[in-house]
Amino acid sequence: MDGGTRVLTEGLDAVPDNLQPVGDSAIGVANGHAWRFTATGATPLKVGDDVRAMPTSPFWEARLGSNPPVTVEQVTLQSTNGGVAQLSAVSPVATSAAVRLPDTSFRVQAAAPGRGEFAAISVDARGVTRLNLRVGSVWTLLDAANLRQRDVDPLRAIPVRTSAPASGGAPGGWLYLPAPGAVGAAPPLVIVPYPGQRRAAPSTLADYGESYMTPSIPVLLGAGYAVLVPSLPLSQGEEPSVGVGAKVLEVVDAAAAQYPGAFDSRRLALWGHSLGGYGVVAIITQTNRIRAAIEMAGPMDMVGMWGSFQASARVDSSEGTGISGEIGWAEDSQGAMGGPPWRNPARYVRDTLVFHADRIHTPLLIIQGDQDHVPMAQGEEIFSALFRQDRDAVLLTYWGEEHILYSPGNVRDAYRRGLAWLADNLDRPVKVAVATPAESPEPGSATTSPSSR
């Protein structure tokens, strides 16, 4: 090298989210294409279409946030070729012959390509989940779950076209409707936003195999709601909150115009997780058309996100503090602040939602876990801002949970409370039965801050 700076991703239509060191190069995947990066630039890898990278050894997320990734001897890439799923092992000097997968539903979770051994999970359209192991050339079914889903019909996603299609020609969003006859009148609409997501295909939140709280489209449909997942792409460096309310309402109005009577456009709700939770709160600072809102694990304060440690690091810092990961998230990733707070304080203020809390009039349920890498203080800040104004808000904290709720009891409890929140604020009765202690472990780990209602 001549000592200067070289942009290795110059000319690429998308930048990989992560790079995996392999020898003296690195492998990255972006927009379904694989690239090998060296000091001289990027070279495409011919391993098929719709490429996704698979790790060859487990990595701790916290360690990756503060320490360099571990160099491996090869990376396994999963792709398709003529509609056939396949695996390819990429080493510093070569790419192995492709190994066929039984079908495109297989998702490899672990690989030892040198021995021809792979473990894969497959989830069919009805949500039946299977764990499969390949040794040599033989695939063996090890276990299956959700077998009762075999008699459940797959969900139907209806494309919504807007006047300005999302980038890449993708629909403006996807609409899901309850089964015919499930509700007497036009159902309320729950919007599930996520700034930065271009929804070229139906959301994985519609998959029956998704069991945790993000939220699940099948659960919402089963409760009698229509669901809209809007496409909200962001250009490089575009702020995640600016104009998001208008973008979402454009998709809502387009869906109402294209499918008259499919849902009640006067009864709108929002439910989002992570940056989707951020999107929920940003939207209700920009419109009063939303009658109920639920945000889960969303960042509310960009300065707080920039400078916080991960919760687990306060107890055990052996895996790193997470400082680098949080700074990187705020400056160059989803936060899109473009630099530290002192470099552009106005941008941090513009996208820190607590500064706009005086505009919130929609009832808001805030759900969080105390071990989340999004600090508890984020949810507490927006709750306190609404409490100070005597606005309608409830803060629900699950102790021992992280960014996603995994405890079955807590998941059931959060859905029960979330669906009740929607029903209460959308003026309709709850259709979903509350799980009894015999059906579900008593959560016992949730605390609810006093409502400002």
Side-chain angles (χ1 to χ4, degrees), residues 32-382:
H33 302 287
W35 304 86
R36 184 192 299 277
F37 294 89
T38 65
T40 59
T43 304
L45 294 172
K46 297 180 180 180
V47 292
D49 304 317
D50 190 24
V51 182
R52 61 194 301 266
M54 297 305 307
T56 51
S57 60
F59 298 116
W60 292 104
E61 180 183 355
R63 182 178 293 280
L64 284 177
S66 55
N67 298 309
V70 178
T71 299
V72 298
E73 295 182 358
Q74 56 188 357
V75 170
T76 302
L77 301 176
Q78 181 170 334
S79 63
T80 58
N81 185 2
V84 177
Q86 62 182 22
L87 296 171
S88 303
V90 179
S91 71
V93 295
T95 300
S96 70
V99 174
R100 282 195 170 195
L101 294 173
D103 62 65
T104 55
S105 71
F106 274 57
R107 291 291 181 264
V108 174
Q109 307 298 311
R115 299 195 300 269
E117 298 175 359
F118 305 94
I121 288 177
S122 60
V123 182
D124 66 22
R126 287 176 166 81
V128 177
T129 303
R130 296 176 174 87
L131 175 61
N132 312 274
L133 178 66
R134 182 185 190 270
V135 177
S137 59
V138 179
W139 283 96
T140 302
L141 175 64
L142 298 182
D143 201 0
N146 303 328
L147 291 176
R148 62 184 179 182
Q149 293 291 129
R150 288 178 295 190
D151 299 325
V152 177
D153 290 334
L155 300 185
R156 177 172 172 247
I158 306 170
V160 177
R161 303 292 175 182
T162 57
S163 58
S167 63
W174 297 89
L175 178 65
Y176 302 82
L177 300 175
V183 291
L189 181 70
V190 177
I191 306 154
V192 182
Y194 200 98
Q197 285 284 353
R198 182 177 67 89
R199 301 292 186 182
S203 171
T204 57
L205 297 177
D207 295 345
Y208 286 110
E210 297 287 356
S211 59
Y212 40 75
M213 286 291 301
T214 49
S216 166
I217 291 175
V219 170
L220 293 173
L221 294 178
Y225 295 98
V227 180
L228 178 66
V229 182
S231 192
L232 299 171
L234 294 171
S235 59
Q236 185 70 26
E238 184 178 355
E239 296 171 59
S241 71
V242 175
V244 66
K247 293 176 184 177
V248 165
L249 292 178
E250 180 187 7
V251 182
V252 171
D253 293 339
Q258 290 168 47
Y259 307 104
F263 60 88
D264 187 346
S265 59
R266 298 167 302 174
R267 293 192 291 167
L268 303 178
L270 290 163
W271 193 332
H273 172 264
S274 192
L275 197 66
Y278 174 89
V280 163
V281 179
I283 291 164
I284 61 176
T285 68
Q286 299 170 20
T287 179
N288 290 326
R289 283 182 59 183
I290 308 300
R291 303 240 318 244
I294 301 173
E295 87 82 9
M296 302 180 60
M300 300 289 122
D301 176 353
M302 289 297 180
V303 177
M305 284 297 298
W306 182 91
S308 293
F309 290 6
Q310 292 194 3
S312 58
R314 298 189 179 101
V315 178
D316 179 8
S317 61
S318 63
E319 298 294 338
T321 61
I323 294 177
S324 298
E326 302 304 338
I327 289 176
W329 180 91
E331 293 188 15
D332 300 317
S333 183
Q334 291 179 323
M337 293 296 96
W342 56 87
R343 186 173 298 168
N344 194 344
R347 189 175 179 115
Y348 274 83
V349 169
R350 194 161 52 240
D351 289 281
T352 291
L353 302 180
V354 69
F355 286 111
H356 313 295
D358 61 317
R359 305 173 189 171
I360 296 175
H361 299 277
T362 301
L364 177 63
L365 173 62
I366 304 157
I367 302 175
Q368 61 186 17
D370 73 304
Q371 292 301 304
D372 193 350
H373 68 268
V374 175
M376 289 175 62
Q378 297 282 310
E380 291 167 349
E381 281 186 30
I382 199 68

